[in-house]
Amino acid sequence: MPFNIVHDADGFPRIILTEPTGSSAEVLLYGGQVVSWKNERREELLFMSRKAIWKPPKAIRGGIPVCFPQFGNFGSLEQHGFARNRFWSLDNDHSPLPPAKNQSSVVDLILKSTEEDLKTWPQSFELRLRISLSAGKLTLIPRVRNTNNKAFSFMFALRNYLSVSDISEVRVEGLETLDYLDNLMHRERYTEQADAITFDGEIDRVYLSTPKKIAIIDHEKKRTFVLRKEGMPDAVVWNPWNKKAKALPDMGDGDYNTMLCVDSAAIETPIVLKPYQEWKGHQELSTVSSSYCSGQLDPRKVLHGFS
């Protein structure tokens, strides 16, 4: 199905993806950002802050921002890099990606380095993003091409703001026993001891060498998000909790209670690209019943793997 472009009152061109069962997604050219993903029952699956600032050059708090070429304050650039507050373009030359299989609605976007960007990050690049929607599934395929005649390195993350019923009723499975960098403890390295991650306070961790599949179980909604990823070995888990949420001007005081970020990322070991080389990542978000847990993360049993 072709996508539609609408121009809302906020002035952002908005791409609408739909598929036959009734699910939908909305993507902005600003930031190349998915800002809505609804299932066939029209339930919103992504969190969007009630105080989100819809005005450039501010980043929009919610949906799926693209963090490039750095994540957080791990480098010298603005937090999470500049890709999330630039205007992207439709990409009509999306080779060498094959046509999306079993995807009902697809859009290809591109962001190229500008002279302004080169002043702060002197690397010439093309960042492409394919966003495709099918029944119960939202897939993002980012690609970065080095158009320089010298090598460069970068960090990358897809920041997934997931909508949950009550953060205290959520658990994340698939990250147990792994090492993580704790951003609340000066990025010191620890090992996860819990059987699953549960939430009773602020959390900001970069889990390292993570599996390709992670389950985010929402007991109250009886729904599990399944995050499947390739090319992004790290996973960030973030919730600001009440004190930090109140300090964020673009977040409602109680918003922390209905959101959780679980990100696909490459942070600890930046990706290195030689001249004219390309990197490709792959992220797939899907939802299944809450009986699904990490012990069932066998794609032959529940979900089909990547094509």
Side-chain angles (χ1 to χ4, degrees):
M1 295 176 67
F3 57 80
N4 294 317
I5 299 181
V6 298
H7 294 266
D8 283 355
D10 56 29
F12 288 112
R14 191 177 297 242
I15 298 158
I16 311 295
L17 304 178
T18 56
E19 58 82 35
T21 69
S23 67
S24 65
E26 297 182 16
V27 185
L28 300 185
L29 291 179
Y30 182 65
Q33 187 164 335
V34 180
V35 292
S36 173
W37 173 36
K38 293 179 180 177
N39 63 17
E40 69 280 359
R41 295 186 297 278
R42 308 302 296 155
E43 296 169 329
E44 181 58 66
L45 302 173
L46 299 179
F47 165 86
M48 180 59 66
S49 169
R50 289 172 291 173
K51 287 188 174 181
I53 299 170
W54 299 77
K55 187 176 181 180
K58 290 290 186 180
I60 299 168
R61 188 171 298 282
I64 308 179
V66 178
C67 304
F68 170 88
Q70 81 173 34
F71 182 84
N73 295 313
F74 279 74
S76 59
L77 300 174
E78 60 194 272
Q79 178 159 315
H80 298 321
F82 49 72
R84 65 186 186 145
N85 53 21
R86 298 289 188 273
F87 278 95
W88 296 46
S89 303
L90 294 174
D91 182 15
N92 298 316
D93 180 24
H94 42 76
S95 60
L97 272 187
K101 295 180 181 178
N102 304 318
Q103 305 290 350
S104 298
S105 196
V106 179
V107 66
D108 288 286
L109 304 179
I110 186 169
L111 179 71
K112 296 182 181 181
S113 48
T114 65
E115 288 192 13
E116 196 64 29
D117 294 332
L118 291 169
K119 293 176 184 177
T120 55
W121 196 64
Q123 315 297 346
S124 180
F125 70 88
E126 292 177 350
L127 168 54
R128 287 181 161 86
L129 181 64
R130 169 171 286 184
I131 302 160
S132 53
L133 175 73
S134 60
K137 189 184 300 182
L138 181 68
T139 303
L140 283 79
I141 303 176
R143 290 182 293 154
V144 177
R145 177 175 290 277
N146 180 355
T147 56
N148 250 345
N149 56 9
K150 60 180 181 179
F152 66 71
S153 64
F154 63 93
M155 301 175 208
F156 190 90
L158 294 171
R159 165 133 281 195
N160 301 305
Y161 282 87
L162 303 176
S163 174
V164 299
S165 55
D166 181 342
I167 187 63
S168 62
E169 296 293 322
V170 173
R171 57 192 281 132
V172 177
E173 297 189 1
L175 301 176
E176 50 276 5
T177 75
L178 298 181
D179 285 359
Y180 64 86
L181 305 177
D182 193 334
N183 290 324
L184 302 180
M185 300 293 289
H186 309 290
R187 295 179 190 152
E188 287 192 29
R189 192 179 185 116
Y190 298 91
T191 300
E192 181 59 64
Q193 304 293 331
D195 292 337
I197 301 170
T198 56
F199 305 92
D200 59 5
E202 183 182 358
I203 187 170
D204 189 356
R205 298 175 181 173
V206 181
Y207 285 83
L208 310 173
S209 301
T210 60
K212 293 182 178 179
K213 309 178 200 74
I214 300 167
I216 301 99
I217 302 164
D218 187 338
H219 295 291
E220 193 169 311
K221 285 191 176 178
K222 297 182 170 60
R223 178 170 67 209
T224 294
F225 288 98
V226 182
L227 171 62
R228 302 160 65 82
K229 60 191 181 64
E230 291 183 351
M232 294 173 277
D234 304 324
V236 183
V237 179
W238 180 70
N239 182 289
W241 219 250
N242 55 351
K243 188 176 179 181
K244 179 68 70 65
K246 288 179 180 179
L248 295 170
D250 58 348
M251 196 161 194
D253 289 354
D255 277 356
Y256 77 94
N257 200 47
T258 57
M259 59 76 64
L260 176 64
C261 284
V262 181
D263 310 338
S264 301
I267 298 170
E268 185 193 31
T269 303
I271 298 157
V272 178
L273 283 184
K274 296 177 181 177
Y276 308 106
Q277 192 177 32
E278 183 176 270
W279 164 84
K280 184 175 83 169
H282 193 135
Q283 172 180 289
E284 181 185 288
L285 277 171
S286 58
T287 56
V288 292
S289 73
S290 62
S291 60
Y292 182 71
C293 64
S294 62
Q296 296 168 287
L297 287 175
D298 181 343
R300 292 167 296 184
K301 290 181 183 176
V302 184
L303 295 170
H304 298 293
F306 297 135
S307 56

